[in-house]
Amino acid sequence: MLNQRQKAILKYLEEETYTTASFIAQQLDLSDRTVRTELKLLAEELPDYGMALLSKPKFGYRVEILDPVLAGKTRTPQSEIPATPQQRVRFILEYLLAHEDYVKTEELCDLLFLSQSSISQDLKTVREILESYNLKLTVRPHYGLKIEGSEFDYRQCLSTCLTSILEDQPEADQRQGQLQRISEILENVFEEAQFFMSDFAFNNLAMHLLIALQRIASGNHVPMTPQKLDELKAKPLYPLAQRIVSQIEQAFSVDIPQSECGYIVIHLLGKQMIKSPQQENCIISETMYETVDEMLRVVDDEMNLDLSSDLNLRLVLALHLVPLENRLQYDLNMRNPLLKEIKNHYMLAFMIATTACGVLKERYQKEISEDEIGYIALHINLALERKRETIRRKNIVIVCSTGRGTAELLEYQYRDKFGKYINQLMTCDVLTLDRIDLSDVDLVISTVEIPIKLPVPILRVQYFMESRDESKIKRVLAQSGTSSIEHFFDPNLFLVNVPAKNKTEVIDYMSARIRNFYKVPRNFKELILLREKKAVTEFGNLIAIPHPYRVCTDETFVCVALLKRPILWDKKKVQLVFLLSIEKGKKRDLQKFYTLTSKFLTSKDYVRLLLHEKRYGTLMRIFQTIEEDLNN
């Protein structure tokens, strides 16, 4: 019978070419000796599965299929022994959390068929995970390893990391039944009290209560000082927690201490869904609104987006901060099941939310997790969509050479058909066009050839508007801006094969190049590094978007760097860097720029294409494609 590790090794042997033991060891983070030992065992087992292990000196190993039907059996799960480093870390974490006594390293080695050195590497990762929950992995000579920390943090880690423990046989059916009964109790109590929370938060609370029952049964209670308990008893949600405790005590024939009732209040405070300020028990303080003001002000200052004027966004953020403040106060983790999708599809919104959450970090002196940032990013993304859908009225000049009467007729037609898109509309002829100040003009529409070069786009149409012209004009006017995104990307700042080993070297290299072509403040590089300290600018998809901590240049520009090879930025690999600097003041509507850039950076295909071709023209062609897709 093949174990999980042997199946993992087998995947590298099913190719037509030979594979070395060293390569397999490197891929699975195992020693060469361990892999060779497993290969010997595989050579004995594989004939029973219709396969044979072939070896060739200096080339390695491969598998020959003798019986396809029997060979298919190797894909049937038959062992739970983890094979990859990620699987081993999860196994060790679950095993240590399930055993409150000391666990010897030798015991883990025997369970995983690993050497002490391999286990040590996995334990390093386990320690990092535990530290994120304020837990420590202590080592006592001759006794082994043990997780230590508060009962509250212990349960938080259990709930987040160990859902599989609750599904293990032989107690899975019993535990699922208990979880179902807890869910029914919560549904009834919440319906009666008109209390709301999301489905994910509901399931999370039910899981916490199941873990609480198991911990209480083993004599582990959440300790709580009389002062803290009195503080929670004064909360409007305490009677709701009492009703939950009362029904759970009856259903499971268990006595639940008052401290556990306080523990439930903390979860209710952190998971409550508030739909409006008028909702019962909801108090949005003036301080909360001030916090939202500060969050949006920082975003406006750093990214020149003008989100502060969105009253709906201000309200939903204030409502969101009520339970979030409770989660931060009581160190309650709220996992975001959509985090990966949010970061992949709404990168711009996540970047803005990261900036905004810097205010929360300073105000509450707490690290804001990516899960929490993701929730705020959803609200910001809706605001961005509303902003994108808002029609920005254009200033237009119509050029006509057939006399004032025709010009007035054209003006009437344009106001009649496109009035909602037009702010100001002026008419002139070719001879007087050079006397008009075009600094605030978005578009020139002309019925004749214009012999001079203008600083704004020109749209050529017929004397009498045809349906084809009408469709073309409407498409242009409906766009969120008339300036091309190409204006923001200077070919001189498109850098290829940048030889940097870390993010500091990348920022040094790019900042030096920018100084050759743009006027930037003396502390430009320092402002970028300050932003890096405040919040992460790596966003997956091999992308990083460093930018100054505040707007500091007279122009908006992007310096693009394609690194010679991927580097570790903070915690993620990065090979494509967009160093962004936003212009001071409100000189230009940057919504179109942000929209197109975000669409590009979240596309794996576009990023892969640019990294492969490494050409400025490729980048511009991609933006043109994205813009055409958005306008269709």
Side-chain angles (χ1 to χ4, degrees):
M1 182 179 296
L2 304 183
N3 62 39
Q4 198 71 12
R5 181 192 291 167
Q6 289 168 344
K7 289 181 181 180
I9 292 173
L10 194 56
K11 290 180 181 179
Y12 293 95
L13 302 174
E14 292 176 342
E15 304 292 334
E16 294 184 2
T17 56
Y18 285 86
T19 304
T20 66
S22 297
F23 176 80
I24 296 173
Q26 184 179 11
Q27 298 304 306
L28 298 178
D29 195 21
L30 300 170
S31 66
D32 288 4
R33 182 177 178 182
T34 298
V35 171
R36 294 184 189 280
T37 300
E38 293 289 4
L39 287 169
K40 289 180 182 179
L41 296 174
L42 275 173
E44 299 174 2
E45 293 277 354
L46 287 180
D48 293 338
Y49 294 94
M51 292 181 283
L53 182 65
L54 306 180
S55 62
K56 188 175 182 180
K58 298 182 180 181
F59 286 85
Y61 303 83
R62 74 176 180 87
V63 163
E64 181 180 11
I65 305 296
L66 305 176
D67 186 332
V69 176
L70 282 175
K73 293 183 179 181
T74 61
R75 296 177 177 85
T76 304
Q78 299 182 37
S79 174
E80 296 302 321
I81 298 176
T84 67
Q86 294 82 3
Q87 291 172 344
R88 293 199 302 270
V89 166
R90 182 176 178 84
F91 178 90
I92 294 170
L93 185 59
E94 292 177 355
Y95 194 82
L96 292 172
L97 282 166
H99 293 77
E100 295 184 39
D101 295 331
Y102 284 95
V103 174
K104 290 189 175 183
T105 309
E106 293 83 352
E107 185 178 341
L108 294 174
C109 291
D110 292 340
L111 287 169
L112 296 171
F113 302 99
L114 289 176
S115 65
Q116 288 265 8
S117 59
S118 296
I119 286 288
S120 297
Q121 289 297 318
D122 294 332
L123 286 174
K124 182 179 179 181
T125 306
V126 169
R127 280 192 177 90
E128 292 174 356
I129 295 174
L130 291 173
E131 285 174 2
S132 68
Y133 293 93
N134 302 314
L135 298 172
K136 291 184 178 181
L137 183 61
T138 59
V139 181
R140 186 178 176 186
H142 309 299
Y143 283 83
L145 308 165
K146 184 179 180 180
I147 296 175
E148 292 185 347
S150 73
E151 177 68 15
F152 185 92
D153 293 328
Y154 202 92
R155 293 188 190 184
Q156 286 281 91
C157 188
L158 273 171
S159 176
T160 305
C161 303
L162 301 183
T163 53
S164 62
I165 282 184
L166 302 178
E167 300 170 357
D168 287 345
Q169 295 295 340
E171 301 177 353
D173 293 339
Q174 178 187 352
R175 285 170 174 165
Q176 287 296 337
Q178 292 173 335
L179 191 61
Q180 179 63 32
R181 183 71 187 99
I182 291 171
S183 297
E184 292 170 357
I185 291 172
L186 291 176
E187 285 178 2
N188 293 333
V189 173
F190 288 168
E191 183 177 357
E192 182 181 338
Q194 288 295 291
F195 180 83
F196 305 99
M197 65 171 56
S198 69
D199 290 343
F200 177 78
F202 180 92
N203 294 331
N204 182 262
L205 176 60
M207 184 68 70
H208 270 286
L209 291 175
L210 177 59
I211 290 173
L213 280 176
Q214 295 174 342
R215 297 294 292 172
I216 291 170
S218 63
N220 295 286
H221 302 155
V222 172
M224 197 165 291
T225 64
Q227 294 83 359
K228 176 64 71 174
L229 187 57
D230 288 342
E231 175 189 322
L232 292 170
K233 283 182 177 180
K235 300 289 185 182
L237 290 176
Y238 189 79
L240 183 64
Q242 284 182 307
R243 272 178 273 170
I244 294 171
V245 166
S246 176
Q247 293 199 27
I248 288 179
E249 285 181 328
Q250 292 178 17
F252 295 97
S253 301
V254 61
D255 291 327
I256 298 179
Q258 277 195 327
S259 63
E260 294 288 348
C261 191
Y263 174 72
I264 294 174
V265 172
I266 290 174
H267 280 279
L268 295 176
L269 288 169
K271 292 177 169 61
Q272 183 178 18
M273 180 186 292
I274 301 172
K275 297 183 177 181
S276 73
Q278 291 74 37
Q279 185 174 321
E280 185 180 0
N281 298 330
C282 172
I283 300 174
I284 302 179
S285 64
E286 188 65 31
T287 302
M288 200 72 74
Y289 282 115
E290 290 174 359
T291 301
V292 172
D293 288 343
E294 179 68 8
M295 291 170 70
L296 296 181
R297 185 193 64 75
V298 168
V299 168
D300 290 347
D301 288 348
E302 187 169 316
M303 307 192 72
N304 206 351
L305 271 168
D306 193 26
L307 290 179
S308 296
S309 60
D310 190 324
L311 297 180
N312 188 39
L313 176 61
R314 293 160 68 91
L315 177 60
V316 296
L317 283 181
L319 292 172
H320 182 86
L321 287 189
V322 174
L324 173 56
E325 183 179 52
N326 287 306
R327 291 197 291 273
L328 293 175
Q329 180 182 351
Y330 297 109
D331 295 319
L332 189 67
N333 294 314
M334 184 72 167
R335 192 170 68 84
N336 191 332
L338 300 175
L339 180 60
K340 184 177 180 181
E341 287 75 14
I342 292 169
K343 294 180 71 174
N344 286 341
H345 298 291
Y346 309 132
M347 181 185 291
L348 171 61
F350 191 84
M351 183 171 73
I352 295 169
T354 302
T355 298
C357 285
V359 173
L360 299 179
K361 179 180 178 181
E362 292 183 6
R363 178 153 295 194
Y364 295 103
Q365 293 298 300
K366 298 282 182 71
E367 288 293 332
I368 312 300
S369 69
E370 286 196 341
D371 294 280
E372 296 289 4
I373 294 173
Y375 284 118
I376 291 177
L378 288 176
H379 296 306
I380 288 176
N381 188 67
L382 289 176
L384 292 175
E385 288 299 315
R386 287 194 296 272
K387 191 175 177 66
R388 188 168 72 89
E389 292 169 1
T390 300
I391 298 172
R392 189 176 73 83
R393 293 174 179 267
K394 311 293 194 301
N395 296 325
I396 301 171
V397 172
I398 295 180
V399 180
C400 179
S401 63
T402 57
R404 182 173 180 80
T406 305
E408 289 179 349
L409 177 61
L410 279 174
E411 181 178 351
Y412 172 81
Q413 286 182 318
Y414 277 77
R415 289 196 181 277
D416 179 51
K417 292 183 179 295
F418 312 114
K420 67 178 182 179
Y421 300 108
I422 297 174
N423 179 39
Q424 291 184 346
L425 193 152
M426 297 172 283
T427 60
C428 70
D429 56 30
V430 175
L431 295 177
T432 57
L433 179 60
D434 60 352
R435 303 174 197 169
I436 294 178
D437 181 6
L438 298 176
S439 59
D440 290 328
V441 172
D442 298 290
L443 179 67
V444 170
I445 299 176
S446 178
T447 62
V448 295
E449 190 72 30
I450 295 179
I452 59 176
K453 189 174 182 179
L454 301 180
V456 295
I458 303 171
L459 188 63
R460 181 74 185 275
V461 296
Q462 301 298 318
Y463 283 113
F464 298 100
M465 191 183 304
E466 298 178 355
S467 58
R468 182 175 58 185
D469 279 340
E470 183 177 345
S471 176
K472 179 170 61 174
I473 294 167
K474 185 175 181 179
R475 187 167 61 250
V476 171
L477 293 179
Q479 293 178 8
S480 59
T482 55
S483 60
S484 170
I485 194 171
E486 186 174 351
H487 295 172
F488 302 111
F489 291 86
D490 188 333
N492 295 307
L493 299 185
F494 187 81
L495 316 177
V496 177
N497 294 326
V498 174
K501 297 178 181 178
N502 54 59
K503 73 174 180 180
T504 302
E505 289 186 8
V506 174
I507 293 171
D508 282 345
Y509 188 95
M510 298 178 78
S511 299
R513 181 62 176 244
I514 289 169
R515 289 187 183 281
N516 293 331
F517 299 95
Y518 286 85
K519 182 181 179 181
V520 296
R522 290 183 178 180
N523 62 340
F524 183 68
K525 183 181 73 174
E526 287 70 26
L527 288 173
I528 298 170
L529 293 174
L530 177 60
R531 180 63 178 80
E532 290 292 321
K533 290 181 180 179
K534 294 283 184 180
V536 66
T537 60
E538 56 186 15
F539 293 95
N541 200 23
L542 295 176
I543 296 289
I545 315 175
H547 52 279
Y549 181 62
R550 56 178 172 79
V551 292
C552 60
T553 54
D554 295 328
E555 297 179 69
T556 295
F557 61 83
V558 184
C559 180
V560 180
L562 282 66
L563 308 186
K564 195 169 185 179
R565 57 182 59 86
I567 65 169
L568 187 65
W569 194 262
D570 279 305
K571 295 182 179 179
K572 294 182 175 65
K573 292 286 187 178
V574 166
Q575 192 171 7
L576 178 58
V577 182
F578 271 45
L579 199 163
L580 170 66
S581 183
I582 303 300
E583 62 196 35
K584 294 179 285 187
K586 305 291 182 183
K587 299 179 183 178
R588 198 181 333 214
D589 182 2
L590 297 172
Q591 183 61 31
K592 178 181 176 182
F593 165 78
Y594 282 129
T595 300
L596 296 180
T597 304
S598 180
K599 292 288 184 184
F600 166 71
L601 295 175
T602 54
S603 169
K604 290 185 178 180
D605 291 336
Y606 286 146
V607 170
R608 190 181 300 115
L609 176 62
L610 183 62
L611 288 173
H612 174 69
E613 295 194 1
K614 301 180 180 179
R615 294 177 56 226
Y616 174 82
T618 301
L619 179 63
M620 293 301 103
R621 189 173 73 247
I622 290 171
F623 279 128
Q624 183 179 0
T625 301
I626 296 172
E627 188 168 5
E628 290 173 354
D629 289 343
L630 289 174
N631 291 333
N632 290 334

